Amino acid sequence: MRVRPILILGLDVISENPKRFAVVSWFNGRLERKGEFTLYRLIRFIQAKRPDIVAIDSVTELGEDLRKFLRALPPETKLVQVTGRPGEQRSLQSLAREHGIRTADRFDPYEEAKLSALLASRGVGYEVLAFEDEVIVRVTRGRSHGKGGWSQDRYRKRVHNLVRDKVREIEDRLRRADIPFDLETEERDHGLARGEFRVYASREELAGLIRPMRGGDVEVRIQPVERAELGFAPLKGEEAVRERRSIIVGIDPGITVGIAAIDLKGNIVALHSERNMPVGEVFRFISEVGHPVVVATDVSPAPGFVEKIARSFKANLFVPRESLRVEEKNELLRGLGIKVEDDHQRDALAAAYKAYLRLKPKLEHIDAKLRDAGLSKKADEVKALVIQGYNLGEAMQRVAARREDRRPEPRQEESGSVDVRPYLRKIRELEERIEFLERENEELRGIIREQRRTIERLERRIADYDEEVRRKVLRERELEAKVKRIEVLEKQLKEAKAVIERLSRDLVQVKRMNVVEIRGSAVPLKVMNVLSWRELERLEREVGIRRGDVLFVLNPAGAGKAIAEELVEKGIGALITERPLPEPVREVLREAHVPFFTSEELDVKRVDEFAVVERETLEGAIEELLSRWEREDERREAEKVLRLLEEYRLERKKELLRRAEEEARAGRKT
C-alpha cells in the first residue's frame, strides 16, 4: 500500500516587533530550512503548501494573533504544541533526549523549529483545538432581486426554488453520510429564502461532502463553531498515557448523554448524564477525568457519536458482539454494587464495565509480570500501552527507559568543560517542584469536584425553598409563550383572510364563466402550462383530448415540429397561446390548416386552470383565418401553375434551338 507523504512545518519566534518566525520543514524524513517569515507571509505559505502539521513549542508565542492564525489554517492542517498541554509542559531539550534526538544550540530559533518538527513527526505533542465538532452551513440567495414587476417576481421565485433544491441536496448528502444535524428554514414563494444547518461534525469530516458556493444565484457558506476556550488533544495516545490517569469510558449517546469512567483496576471514577450535551462539552468532561484508552458502547454496531469520541482521543473502540440486554446491564450493575440516577448512566456504566471485564484477564496477567519486574508503580502506564497495541515487553522497556532518562546524568569532567552541577541541581529541584504541584493540582481538582457537588446540593435546596417563585416564573413563561402563539395565529388568520378574499374573487369569475358556458355562448379551453410531451400526456391523462378541442397554452417556447404534428394527428380544432408560437410549430399547423391565435386576439378569460372564449368570436376568427389561408393557397397554386408553364416554355424553346442547330450542321455536311 502506498503511504501518503507527510509535510510538517516547525516554527519558532525570531523577534517580537515586528514578529518574525524561523521555519523548518520536515518531509518524509528530510529537513529543510525555509527561512524567515512575517506572520502574513507565513499564513500565505501555509495556505499554499497545506501541511499536515504546524508544530511549535508553545502557542503563546503567537500572542494576540493566535485566534487569527487558527482561523487561517486549512481544514486538514493541525497546529501542534509539542511541549504538552498547558500546565503540563516540558522543555524541548528534555523531550528530544527522551526520543533520541540530538540537540545543538538551544538559543538558535532554527534549531528550536527543527526540534518541534522532529518531535511532531514522532507523534509527540498536543493538537490545539480551536473549533467545536460543529459546523454552521448557511444556504441563501446570492444576488439581490432588485425592484420591478413580473420579471423580477419570476426571478425571485426561481432563486427561492434553487435555494430549496440546494438545501434538499445538502440534507440528502448528510443523511447518506450518517452525519447528525439540525435544520432551520425560512419559506418564501413555495420555496426557501434561506436554510441553516447545524452539523455535528468537524470541518475535516465535511471536506468533499459540502462545498462552499459564492457569486451565483445561490450561496453556500460553511462556518466552523469556535470554542470559547482552546482545547488540547494528544497527537498520539502514548503521550497522554505518560502524563495522565488512564481510564475506560462508556458513552450512551442521545438527547440525554450518559458518561461513565472507570480506571484500569475497575474502580468507578466518574458518572454523569446531561441533556443536550454538545460534543465539545463531552470531550472536555472526559479530559478533566483522565485520558481514555478505551471508549465503549452497549449497542452493536457502534453509534457515530461514540466513534467520533474514540477517534478524538485516539482510543480503542469497544463494541459488544451484540447489543446488551436490560437484564444483562442490571446484572453488571449489581456486581458493582452501585445505584445510578437514570437509564443513561446505567447504559454508559454497563458499557464501560463490560469492556473492563473483557480486558480483565490481560490486565491481571500484566500485574503479575510487573510485580516480578519491580514496575508495579507504573502498572497503569504499562497497561495503557499494551491496550494501545504494544506487546508487554515493549511496554515495559519503554516505561523502564523513561525511568532511566529521568535519573540525573553522571557528571563528565573534561578539561576546560563547564561545571553543570548547579544546573543539574536546579533541574532536579524544578522536577520535584513540578511533581509537587501536580499532586497539589490533583488534590485541588478533588476539592473542586467536592465543592461542585456541594454547590449542586445547595442549589437543589434553594430550588425547594423557592418553589413558589419558580412556579411564578413558569406561569410568566407560559403566558409569554401563549402571547407569541396568539401573534402567530393572528398573522396566519390575516394571511388566510387574504387567500379567502382572492379565492372569492376567482369564484365569482368562475361562476360567470360557467353561466356563459351553459348558455352556449362560450367555448371551454383545455389549458396547458407549456407545450411539451409531458404536459400533453398530463392533459390526456387528467382531462382527455378529443377531435375538435381547442387548446390554450401559456408558454409555447421551445416546442418543435414533432409535437405540432402530434396535435395535428389528434385533430384539435384550434390552438390559442399567450405568447407567439415558434416558427416550426406555425409551419406545421399552417400546412395542416389548424388555426392558431394569441389570447389577445380572442380576449381569453382565465382563472387558474380554467379558461373560456366567446364562441362567436372564436368561430368568426377561425372562419376568417381559414378563408385567408384558402386565398393564400389559391394564389400560391396559381403562381405554381404559371411557374410550371414558364419552365415548360423555356425548355421547349431550348429544344427547338437544339434541333435547328443539328439541321444546320447536317446541311453543311451534305
Side-chain angles (χ1 to χ4, degrees):
M1 183 178 69
R2 186 177 180 183
V3 180
R4 185 177 71 85
I6 302 297
L7 174 61
I8 299 175
L9 296 183
L11 309 182
D12 193 58
V13 173
I14 297 176
S15 65
E16 285 293 336
N17 191 15
K19 185 164 285 187
R20 292 182 297 125
F21 297 86
V23 179
V24 174
S25 71
W26 182 95
F27 185 72
N28 283 8
R30 181 182 176 185
L31 288 166
E32 182 181 351
R33 181 183 290 198
K34 292 297 182 180
E36 296 183 10
F37 288 80
T38 62
L39 179 65
Y40 176 71
R41 285 191 60 233
L42 177 61
I43 290 174
R44 292 187 60 187
F45 182 73
I46 292 172
Q47 291 175 342
K49 297 297 182 181
R50 308 183 80 84
D52 298 270
I53 292 175
V54 175
I56 192 168
D57 61 341
S58 177
V59 296
T60 57
E61 294 184 353
L62 291 166
E64 297 178 354
D65 298 316
L66 175 57
R67 289 281 184 176
K68 174 184 176 182
F69 185 79
L70 286 165
R71 293 189 197 103
L73 290 180
E76 66 274 14
T77 300
K78 299 177 181 178
L79 177 62
V80 173
Q81 182 168 281
V82 295
T83 53
R85 59 194 295 151
E88 303 174 4
Q89 292 174 258
R90 299 171 59 190
S91 68
L92 277 176
Q93 284 69 28
S94 65
L95 287 170
R97 286 196 300 271
E98 182 177 317
H99 289 83
I101 301 172
R102 296 178 60 185
T103 61
D105 183 4
R106 60 174 296 182
F107 299 105
D108 181 4
Y110 287 98
E111 180 66 19
E112 299 280 289
K114 182 190 79 173
L115 291 179
S116 296
L118 286 172
L119 288 169
S121 71
R122 302 189 182 190
V124 178
Y126 279 71
E127 178 186 355
V128 182
L129 303 176
F131 304 98
E132 300 281 5
D133 281 345
E134 294 182 17
V135 176
I136 303 297
V137 180
R138 291 188 178 90
V139 184
T140 58
R141 60 183 175 87
R143 301 189 181 100
S144 174
H145 303 316
K147 299 180 180 180
W150 189 55
S151 297
Q152 282 74 12
D153 290 342
R154 283 190 306 151
Y155 174 70
R156 186 186 66 247
K157 293 176 182 178
R158 173 180 172 274
V159 171
H160 289 161
N161 287 334
L162 291 175
V163 172
R164 179 197 60 202
D165 293 343
K166 178 56 68 173
V167 168
R168 288 178 178 174
E169 176 189 338
I170 294 174
E171 184 178 8
D172 181 61
R173 289 189 176 186
L174 292 173
R175 292 191 189 281
R176 282 192 279 110
D178 197 23
I179 295 177
F181 65 91
D182 290 325
L183 172 62
E184 292 183 2
T185 58
E186 180 183 336
E187 297 185 3
R188 191 77 57 82
D189 296 325
H190 304 289
L192 294 179
R194 59 181 290 275
E196 181 172 307
F197 293 84
R198 181 171 288 271
V199 185
Y200 302 107
S202 62
R203 294 187 299 171
E204 293 80 2
E205 291 178 276
L206 294 184
L209 188 65
I210 302 175
R211 299 182 182 277
M213 295 172 54
R214 304 287 292 272
D217 291 331
V218 179
E219 286 193 353
V220 178
R221 296 174 182 266
I222 301 175
Q223 177 185 347
V225 178
E226 289 195 16
R227 291 171 176 247
E229 296 181 1
L230 295 179
F232 292 82
L235 197 60
K236 192 170 73 174
E238 178 188 345
E239 302 305 316
V241 167
R242 184 186 317 160
E243 301 295 340
R244 308 174 64 218
R245 174 170 54 183
S246 298
I247 55 175
I248 298 173
V249 176
I251 297 178
D252 178 49
I255 297 176
T256 299
V257 178
I259 306 173
I262 61 178
D263 61 19
L264 299 186
K265 296 178 182 177
N267 301 316
I268 300 172
V269 296
L271 194 59
H272 180 71
S273 60
E274 184 176 330
R275 187 177 178 85
N276 296 326
M277 196 173 186
V279 178
E281 188 61 34
V282 173
F283 186 90
R284 282 191 286 273
F285 179 86
I286 296 173
S287 298
E288 289 181 0
V289 177
H291 179 76
V293 292
V294 176
V295 174
T297 177
D298 64 328
V299 296
S300 179
F305 185 92
V306 179
E307 290 182 353
K308 178 185 292 294
I309 296 297
R311 287 197 304 269
S312 298
F313 284 105
K314 312 294 188 298
N316 292 341
L317 177 65
F318 171 79
V319 183
R321 293 185 179 89
E322 57 183 23
S323 300
L324 301 182
R325 300 185 302 276
V326 175
E327 297 81 5
E328 187 176 358
K329 298 175 188 176
N330 292 332
E331 184 64 28
L332 288 170
L333 265 62
R334 277 194 293 272
L336 286 170
I338 186 172
K339 292 185 179 180
V340 295
E341 295 181 3
D342 52 45
D343 292 344
H344 308 286
Q345 293 185 7
R346 178 201 66 193
D347 294 348
L349 183 55
Y353 195 61
K354 184 72 174 179
Y356 169 74
L357 292 178
R358 182 74 60 83
L359 294 169
K360 187 176 180 181
K362 180 186 289 188
L363 299 177
E364 290 176 345
H365 173 71
I366 294 171
D367 281 328
K369 291 291 185 181
L370 292 179
R371 281 194 297 270
D372 297 338
L375 290 173
S376 297
K377 293 183 178 180
K378 294 296 181 179
D380 278 0
E381 190 173 340
V382 174
K383 290 176 183 177
L385 292 177
V386 171
I387 292 172
Q388 289 182 343
Y390 295 94
N391 61 46
L392 182 56
E394 290 175 341
M396 293 173 65
Q397 288 176 5
R398 283 179 174 270
V399 173
R402 282 201 288 270
R403 291 180 66 188
E404 292 295 327
D405 288 342
R406 288 172 182 168
R407 294 178 182 173
E409 296 181 359
R411 182 170 57 87
Q412 297 179 357
E413 294 185 358
E414 297 179 2
S415 177
S417 62
V418 179
D419 185 6
V420 298
R421 284 176 296 178
Y423 299 103
L424 292 175
R425 283 196 298 272
K426 184 64 175 178
I427 289 172
R428 283 196 295 273
E429 291 173 2
L430 291 174
E431 287 178 344
E432 291 173 359
R433 178 64 176 167
I434 289 172
E435 186 176 353
F436 169 76
L437 290 174
E438 287 177 347
R439 288 198 303 270
E440 185 180 22
N441 186 37
E442 185 61 31
E443 292 174 0
L444 291 174
R445 286 180 182 272
I447 294 171
I448 290 172
R449 286 194 292 269
E450 182 61 31
Q451 288 181 345
R452 284 178 177 172
R453 286 194 288 269
T454 303
I455 291 171
E456 290 176 358
R457 187 168 61 253
L458 292 174
E459 285 178 345
R460 286 196 294 270
R461 291 177 60 184
I462 291 172
D464 293 337
Y465 294 147
D466 206 15
E467 183 64 25
E468 183 60 33
V469 175
R470 188 183 68 84
R471 284 198 296 267
K472 182 179 178 181
V473 171
L474 289 176
R475 284 197 300 270
E476 290 177 353
R477 289 179 179 175
E478 290 176 0
L479 180 61
E480 183 180 354
K482 289 179 180 179
V483 170
K484 291 182 179 179
R485 178 63 177 165
I486 290 171
E487 292 176 354
V488 171
L489 292 174
E490 286 179 346
K491 182 179 178 182
Q492 293 177 351
L493 178 61
K494 184 177 180 181
E495 294 173 352
K497 286 181 177 179
V499 172
I500 291 171
E501 184 178 353
R502 179 177 60 80
L503 293 176
S504 298
R505 291 195 301 268
D506 293 348
L507 181 60
V508 171
Q509 184 68 10
V510 169
K511 287 180 178 178
R512 291 175 181 172
M513 292 166 57
N514 287 340
V515 170
V516 172
E517 184 176 353
I518 291 171
R519 291 176 179 174
S521 61
V523 177
L525 308 180
K526 295 184 176 180
V527 181
M528 296 173 62
N529 292 319
V530 294
L531 189 55
S532 66
W533 291 103
R534 181 178 295 179
E535 188 71 4
L536 189 62
E537 291 173 0
R538 179 196 65 78
L539 188 64
E540 284 189 306
R541 183 175 61 254
E542 296 178 358
V543 181
I545 300 177
R546 297 188 300 271
R547 299 188 69 82
D549 282 347
V550 180
L551 304 185
F552 179 56
V553 180
L554 301 180
N555 184 9
K561 294 179 62 177
I563 195 168
E565 291 170 351
E566 180 68 17
L567 294 178
V568 172
E569 186 175 345
K570 290 184 179 298
I572 65 172
L575 179 65
I576 305 174
T577 60
E578 278 199 351
R579 301 180 186 177
L581 278 169
E583 192 60 31
V585 179
R586 296 172 62 92
E587 291 176 358
V588 172
L589 297 181
R590 171 66 180 85
E591 186 67 25
H593 286 76
V594 176
F596 53 87
F597 310 94
T598 62
S599 57
E600 295 177 354
E601 294 176 291
L602 299 179
D603 190 20
V604 175
K605 296 180 175 60
R606 175 173 171 264
V607 176
D608 293 336
E609 301 300 323
F610 304 97
V612 296
V613 65
E614 291 288 342
R615 182 179 299 276
E616 184 177 347
T617 303
L618 176 62
E619 291 176 351
I622 291 174
E623 183 178 355
E624 180 183 351
L625 181 61
L626 292 176
S627 298
R628 185 170 74 249
W629 283 355
E630 185 177 355
R631 291 192 298 272
E632 290 175 357
D633 292 344
E634 290 175 353
R635 185 171 62 255
R636 282 201 296 267
E637 190 65 29
E639 291 173 352
K640 183 179 179 182
V641 170
L642 291 175
R643 191 163 53 253
L644 289 173
L645 288 174
E646 181 64 21
E647 290 175 357
Y648 175 76
R649 186 179 65 79
L650 291 173
E651 288 294 328
R652 182 64 178 165
K653 183 176 180 181
K654 290 178 181 177
E655 179 67 21
L656 293 175
L657 288 173
R658 185 179 58 78
R659 288 182 181 178
E661 289 175 356
E662 289 178 355
E663 289 177 357
R665 283 195 297 269
R668 284 194 295 271
K669 289 180 181 179
T670 56

